[in-house]
Amino acid sequence: AKTWFSLRRFGDSVTMLWEPHAAPSTRCNIWHIAGRDRDLLIDTGMGVNPLAPEIAKLSDRSVLCFGSHSHFDHVGGHHEFDRRLMHPAEAGIMAAPDRDNMIIEGWVRPDTFDFLPHAGFEPERYTVQAAPITDPVGDGDLIDLGDRVFRVLHLPGHSPGSCGVYEEATGLFFSGDIILDGDILDDLYHSSTNDFAASMERLKELQVSTVHAGHHESFGRDRMIELANDYIAGRRTPGCPAEG
């Protein structure tokens, strides 16, 4: 591929980047939020090509790199950033990633890409570099960018340490993979359907304006509540649910 990342600007100083040459199931939405004193980067993609130079084109401020959870498609570029914020339940995976604990096996194959990221890239040998958490965060913690503040919401289900961040002033909610307008995966080795349902109930009380999810398109509060109710009622994507 001649270029690896695509970019789309939203309002509220929000920019989305993504990897268009990877399959939709293995590319995440990478979110950059500009602040006065520092910027927030939510998730970093697969890590097959450097992300930091693309972020540097958006801003010369320091970056807080937040991981919504520890799956390969969301944290592949975390090692490029000095400050890495994530829930401590994901710490073991981030410190010692492998093809199993990052859900790479079965997901990254030659047909995952329509163009390879660089010469010599072998999908079967793809791994993620270790990127230990530098700043553990938990439910209710605040991320201060100087002129805007985001609150961390611990929303387990997809993984034990899955988190989103919410800006009360604008109603923006960055949800990772806990809720999205597409397949919701609750059958992974460390997923929990009970936790997922509890997180969905909690989301229904959140006064959001826009949900910027980890995959697919953004949506509003009405759609978020509809998706949450569908999950709670069992109207969700087929699959083998994990034991609660």
Side-chain angles (χ1 to χ4, degrees):
K2 292 182 179 179
T3 59
W4 189 250
F5 294 97
S6 292
L7 178 150
R8 177 182 173 189
R9 295 185 186 276
F10 289 74
D12 298 303
S13 299
V14 173
T15 301
M16 184 182 82
L17 299 94
W18 72 98
E19 300 167 283
H21 299 300
S25 60
T26 57
R27 65 178 185 235
C28 83
N29 296 332
I30 301 164
W31 298 101
H32 176 270
I33 302 103
R36 184 192 67 205
D37 300 336
R38 61 197 65 84
D39 296 344
L40 179 61
L41 179 66
I42 301 171
D43 293 337
T44 56
M46 297 181 68
V48 293
N49 269 335
L51 174 63
E54 303 300 319
I55 301 304
K57 295 175 185 177
L58 300 176
S59 166
D60 60 1
R61 290 177 293 273
S62 62
V63 174
L64 300 176
C65 178
F66 177 87
S68 64
H69 61 292
S70 60
H71 295 160
F72 75 93
D73 51 328
H74 291 259
V75 297
H78 265 49
H79 66 278
E80 301 177 52
F81 301 92
D82 293 333
R83 294 192 63 184
R84 300 181 291 269
L85 290 64
M86 193 178 289
H87 193 279
E90 311 285 297
I93 297 173
M94 294 302 296
D98 59 43
R99 287 179 60 90
D100 291 319
N101 65 18
M102 284 229 166
I103 324 290
I104 295 172
E105 289 293 348
W107 287 90
V108 180
R109 308 178 300 268
D111 63 356
T112 297
F113 307 94
D114 55 18
F115 289 95
L116 294 181
H118 54 79
F121 178 79
E122 300 178 55
E124 300 88 345
R125 297 170 63 89
Y126 161 74
T127 57
V128 171
Q129 291 190 40
I133 298 169
T134 63
D135 296 73
V137 292
D139 193 64
D141 286 347
L142 300 179
I143 301 173
D144 187 355
L145 305 185
D147 59 342
R148 55 197 309 182
V149 176
F150 290 83
R151 178 159 49 94
V152 176
L153 302 179
H154 180 212
L155 298 163
H158 186 63
S159 74
S162 286
C163 287
V165 293
Y166 173 62
E167 186 178 37
E168 185 174 356
T170 60
L172 296 181
F173 174 49
F174 296 85
S175 67
D177 283 4
I178 197 66
I179 193 164
L180 44 83
D181 204 350
D183 293 350
I184 291 177
L185 296 182
D186 63 0
D187 58 350
L188 305 174
Y189 76 94
H190 56 181
S191 300
S192 165
T193 54
N194 287 346
D195 285 347
F196 236 127
S199 292
M200 292 293 188
E201 290 285 5
R202 185 180 181 192
L203 288 180
K204 289 164 58 178
E205 305 302 317
L206 199 63
Q207 298 301 311
V208 307
S209 58
T210 303
V211 179
H212 291 310
H215 298 271
H216 310 300
E217 294 296 317
S218 300
F219 49 93
R221 186 169 188 268
D222 288 347
R223 180 60 174 157
M224 180 185 75
I225 293 174
E226 180 182 15
L227 291 166
N229 283 333
D230 281 349
Y231 185 88
I232 294 164
R235 299 186 296 270
R236 55 184 175 82
T237 54
C240 267
E243 293 297 323

